[in-house]
Amino acid sequence: MELLTETQKGIFEREGYLVVNDLLDQEEVTYYSHIYNSFLDNTIDATKYRSDLSGAGDENGTKENITQIMIPSKLLPEVLEKPLHVKTLKMAKELMGEDIELDFDMLINKAPNTNTLTPWH
């Protein structure tokens, strides 16, 4: 069963991007919110994979303006079998071909009230 309609595929082909609404249900969003916050507060120790994407942080080095955690699935491999990774990989294959594979994943969080530009990445 395909996740995307022919209309969505056409939009991607013309525009180079696609907005997909309602990809996850509320239960799934709650799961990912918990996991996401566990990475951000370092309950899941991401120290060696995290940095401040803005390059700034605070003067004490204790607050990241834009937290970037590379390859969170390396620290929590079970997310690779959860709906977000499964569905997005399936959609990527529908859009670009069956030979598409996940190369890496990344978590980015811009803290509330952060007056920091997000650099191109």
Side-chain angles (χ1 to χ4, degrees):
M1 178 181 159
E2 295 206 345
L3 295 176
L4 300 173
T5 66
E6 291 305 315
T7 300
Q8 288 172 309
K9 292 176 188 178
I11 292 169
F12 179 79
E13 188 70 29
R14 282 188 313 280
E15 304 296 329
Y17 70 93
L18 181 64
V19 175
V20 178
N21 294 311
D22 302 319
L23 179 65
L24 302 174
D25 64 31
Q26 188 55 52
E27 185 178 323
E28 293 163 339
V29 169
T30 299
Y31 166 80
Y32 286 107
S33 178
H34 172 74
I35 295 300
Y36 191 87
N37 287 324
S38 295
F39 277 109
L40 292 176
D41 69 14
N42 230 31
T43 300
I44 299 173
D45 185 7
T47 306
K48 68 181 184 176
Y49 297 106
R50 76 187 301 144
S51 63
D52 188 336
L53 183 60
S54 74
D58 69 8
E59 60 277 357
N60 300 318
T62 58
K63 179 182 176 236
E64 299 155 334
N65 289 314
I66 306 172
T67 302
Q68 173 178 262
I69 300 174
M70 302 301 291
I71 320 172
S73 63
K74 191 170 196 165
L75 298 169
L76 195 66
E78 58 262 33
V79 298
L80 294 171
E81 303 303 321
K82 298 293 183 184
L84 182 64
H85 282 76
V86 171
K87 289 178 182 180
T88 55
L89 179 58
K90 180 162 178 34
M91 286 188 288
K93 288 181 179 207
E94 288 177 29
L95 293 169
M96 295 178 279
E98 286 297 317
D99 61 340
I100 294 292
E101 292 298 331
L102 175 67
D103 183 42
F104 77 99
D105 54 346
M106 180 186 334
L107 182 155
I108 297 176
N109 179 71
K110 186 171 183 178
N113 306 310
T114 301
N115 190 18
T116 303
L117 295 176
T118 304
W120 284 103
H121 56 281

